[in-house]
Amino acid sequence: MNASYDKNGAVVVLPPVADGRLRDSSLKAWLLQSDLTREPGPKELLAKVAHETGLPYPEQGFAALRMWGQTADRPTKWIAAADPVYLEPRLDCLYLHALRGTGVEPSQMRALINHLQDSLAGGTSYGFTRLASYGYLSSKTPVATASMPAYVVDQQKPDDFLPSGDDTATYRNLLSEIEMALHEHEVNLEREATGQLPINSLWLWGGGTAPEKTTRPQPPLFSDDALLTGYWYSATGATGPWPGNITACIDQSVAGFVAETTEFDDSPELLESCLHELREALRSGRLDSLTLLFRDGLRARIRRSHAMRIWRRGSRLLEVARDS
């Protein structure tokens, strides 16, 4: 644990920036003065934030932390996330489509989770529940689950992300039962009729128990992400929703902060307004350093002294999107 995080810095998660999305030439020139890199490999958001802030990354219990973030109460059971996905059959394999970004109505998740609870969970050691559009699996005994959330696996073959080892039989049997139960459910018939992908499986990941509540030095968090929020709750950290702009984050902070813009707002307008505010905060001395995590995998580390790097003219990283 790093008890001395940068109290004059900020870590900010922002919309994608590459592929010509940044139109303001002055902002592009400013980013070119930074240490600009591409993050290697798939990572979920908490892993990125923990790495940049020096905070300890949990070994298990991600679903329990996410539920904690949704309810503000520490769960006491073993819990895994059970998130809606579409497994697309192709010639030689399956490809996973995370459905969080395309939208799953809470009413649809309610119908599916209730159906699974009624048809599969009666008299067993596990059960299904739902909070908003998130599904959860609780169990009296731990079950092997995937370690990465579905959005990290999106548009990829899921095999490399599935749990492995001798203790995965329960996982695979349960997943098979879930998929059979969801097949041709009326929710999926309605989704297909309106051109939406069906929910033909659930992605079981992040199984474990919530950590005991502790207290450690952490910068304030401004985010609507339930997993980040639950992690901050577990450390008695100050947290609140994304307020809509960077200036409000600065005004509510006295010693640095972590902020995440709205997950599904990828508009260039939001990107540029946040970058304008962050650049001004650095110029005025309200912040001394920035770590910007763009949702297309780019990372920019910027210090006030980087303003002297006037010789930097271009970077291919800003012009091309993440390889698919």
Side-chain angles (χ1 to χ4, degrees), residues 255-278:
F257 64 89
V258 174
E260 183 217 9
T261 62
T262 303
E263 180 180 7
F264 300 116
D265 186 351
D266 284 352
S267 66
E269 292 77 16
L270 175 62
L271 171 66
E272 293 193 355
S273 66
C274 288
L275 289 177
H276 276 294
E277 290 176 288
L278 289 165

Side-chain angles (χ1 to χ4, degrees), residues 66-254:
R66 191 180 74 178
M67 181 180 283
W68 195 342
Q70 285 187 276
T71 64
D73 292 322
R74 178 185 177 273
T76 57
K77 298 180 179 179
W78 185 98
I79 298 171
D83 294 339
V85 296
Y86 170 60
L87 296 178
E88 177 192 0
R90 298 189 184 178
L91 288 177
D92 58 344
C93 60
L94 294 172
Y95 274 74
L96 183 142
H97 297 262
L99 300 179
R100 186 171 69 167
T102 59
V104 175
E105 295 294 331
S107 60
Q108 294 179 337
M109 279 300 292
R110 182 188 306 113
L112 293 178
I113 292 297
N114 287 347
H115 174 63
L116 292 175
Q117 178 66 19
D118 293 340
S119 60
L120 299 183
T124 66
S125 62
Y126 60 84
F128 297 91
T129 189
R130 175 199 65 90
L131 288 174
S133 292
Y134 290 115
Y136 292 96
L137 170 75
S138 61
S139 177
K140 294 180 180 178
T141 57
V143 177
T145 61
S147 59
M148 293 283 186
Y151 69 81
V152 174
V153 192
D154 189 41
Q155 309 294 322
Q156 300 180 69
K157 294 183 286 187
D159 295 10
D160 293 340
F161 299 88
L162 295 175
S164 59
D166 297 334
D167 59 346
T168 60
T170 301
Y171 169 86
R172 296 184 182 278
N173 291 338
L174 178 57
L175 200 60
S176 178
E177 292 178 353
I178 289 172
E179 290 169 1
M180 287 189 291
L182 294 180
H183 182 63
E184 293 190 347
H185 188 279
E186 60 182 15
V187 165
N188 287 325
L189 298 179
E190 293 171 0
R191 287 178 63 88
E192 291 181 291
T194 58
Q196 296 176 294
L197 293 175
I199 301 167
N200 63 2
S201 187
L202 297 179
W203 184 251
L204 305 178
W205 73 278
T209 57
E212 294 294 331
K213 193 170 186 179
T214 187
T215 300
R216 63 171 169 260
Q218 289 191 191
L221 170 72
F222 302 95
S223 171
D224 299 317
D225 184 88
L227 178 52
L228 283 181
T229 300
Y231 179 81
W232 250 254
Y233 283 158
S234 73
T236 324
T239 181
W242 164 245
N245 60 78
I246 295 296
T247 300
C249 298
I250 297 173
D251 290 343
Q252 297 176 49
S253 307
V254 296

